[in-house]
Amino acid sequence: EGRLYRTGDWVRYLDGGVLEYVGRADEQVKVRGYRIELGEIEHAINLHPDIDSSLVLVSTSETGQQNILAYCKSLQQTDSAESLAQSVRELLAQTLPVYMIPNMFMMVEQWPLTINGKIDRDELPVPEHLDKNKIVQPSTETEQTLLQIWSEILEVEANSISVLHNFFELGGHSLMSIRLVNKISEAFELEHFNMGLQEFYSHPTIQAAALEIDRKLLQKKNEEAKSLVNELEALEEGEI
């Protein structure tokens, strides 16, 4: 069955020359210096096997920071909206440029609709600001170091950051996360600190990232010890 396209429709070629509708050119927005097609982000989110539909908007914080906000309706009720949002982030990290990945995800059970059957954007839930009274302090040296790095990258006072806060919900975005990973590599002297975006989205809090870093540090220490043992054994064999 054919489809009639209008001027301003964005499409992409699939295998066999088939055209797939992506969105409208007039839905483009400019965020952090990049022109972004919100419909393309929605299309990528909807490819997740547990997502029914999505709506992507750009919100502006009180400080003027632009954030990409994704509302998602899951195919079935989930007990862990946070886990699902994290899973969607990991998928997007494989398919979209870093600057197009949403900062925040809001899961909805049903879309609020207007009398015309369209999504009523004014009735969508508003993301709650993190409660600064619920601050969990660092409990390890690794967490303390990460806290200082986060504070520098996010330009937020360290005493307002909890080790359980999500980096992206504090205003971080994918471009910031690249700088963050580089800072972590320098701070912990991990030359080959291979935490790509997908892995970073799996560890978006200081507490989770610290555990992963400690694991990598232990692995590095074990590899160095093993290398030293091998060198000593080689020296002993040479003496024999």
Side-chain angles (χ1 to χ4, degrees):
E1 184 178 340
R3 170 174 181 148
L4 182 64
Y5 292 98
R6 298 176 297 163
T7 301
D9 283 349
W10 279 84
V11 298
R12 68 176 71 185
Y13 275 106
L14 301 179
D15 293 341
V18 177
L19 290 175
E20 178 184 41
Y21 176 78
V22 174
R24 293 279 304 165
D26 50 20
E27 292 173 352
Q28 279 192 341
V29 294
K30 194 170 185 179
V31 179
R32 299 187 287 273
Y34 292 93
R35 289 201 176 278
I36 292 174
E37 167 58 55
L38 299 180
E40 187 173 352
I41 303 176
E42 293 169 358
H43 174 78
I45 292 173
N46 295 343
L47 293 177
H48 191 285
D50 295 325
I51 296 297
D52 171 75
S53 52
S54 62
L55 175 66
V56 178
L57 305 173
V58 175
S59 64
T60 304
S61 67
E62 295 176 356
T63 60
Q65 167 96 25
Q66 286 184 305
N67 297 303
I68 302 175
L69 172 60
Y71 290 92
C72 305
K73 180 177 178 292
S74 59
L75 285 171
Q76 54 187 2
Q77 191 170 1
T78 176
D79 295 329
S80 180
E82 185 177 341
S83 295
L84 180 54
Q86 191 167 296
S87 177
V88 174
R89 276 196 186 99
E90 292 171 4
L91 173 66
L92 298 185
Q94 300 176 46
T95 58
L96 293 178
V98 293
Y99 58 83
M100 290 181 67
I101 299 175
N103 301 70
M104 298 185 65
F105 291 82
M106 295 285 292
M107 299 297 164
V108 297
E109 293 184 6
Q110 296 292 335
W111 293 114
L113 302 177
T114 65
I115 56 175
N116 296 324
K118 295 183 178 180
I119 296 177
D120 190 343
R121 301 188 178 199
D122 293 333
E123 294 300 319
L124 288 169
V126 178
E128 297 180 4
H129 293 291
L130 294 170
D131 187 349
K132 293 186 178 180
N133 295 321
K134 296 180 181 178
I135 301 296
V136 179
Q137 299 292 339
S139 59
T140 67
E141 289 185 12
T142 303
E143 289 183 353
Q144 183 62 49
T145 301
L146 286 177
L147 177 64
Q148 297 306 318
I149 294 174
W150 278 39
S151 175
E152 178 184 344
I153 297 293
L154 293 168
E155 298 182 356
V156 174
E157 292 292 334
N159 59 12
S160 68
I161 301 175
S162 166
V163 298
L164 300 180
H165 281 167
N166 186 298
F167 176 79
F168 299 98
E169 292 176 359
L170 285 176
H173 51 73
S174 301
L175 297 178
M176 278 187 181
S177 69
I178 295 174
R179 293 172 53 206
L180 186 71
V181 169
N182 290 335
K183 285 281 188 182
I184 290 172
S185 179
E186 294 174 7
F188 294 96
E189 297 182 353
L190 289 169
E191 253 180 70
H192 305 293
F193 182 68
N194 186 23
M195 180 180 272
L197 281 179
Q198 186 174 355
E199 187 177 1
F200 180 73
Y201 289 139
S202 300
H203 306 83
T205 67
I206 288 176
Q207 187 178 77
L211 289 172
E212 179 64 12
I213 290 168
D214 286 340
R215 184 186 69 79
K216 289 180 180 292
L217 288 172
L218 179 60
Q219 181 181 358
K220 178 185 176 184
K221 185 177 180 180
N222 290 338
E223 288 175 353
E224 290 174 347
K226 184 178 179 180
S227 177
L228 180 59
V229 169
N230 290 338
E231 289 178 9
L232 291 173
E233 289 178 348
L235 286 174
E236 290 176 358
E237 288 177 1
E239 290 176 357
I240 295 172

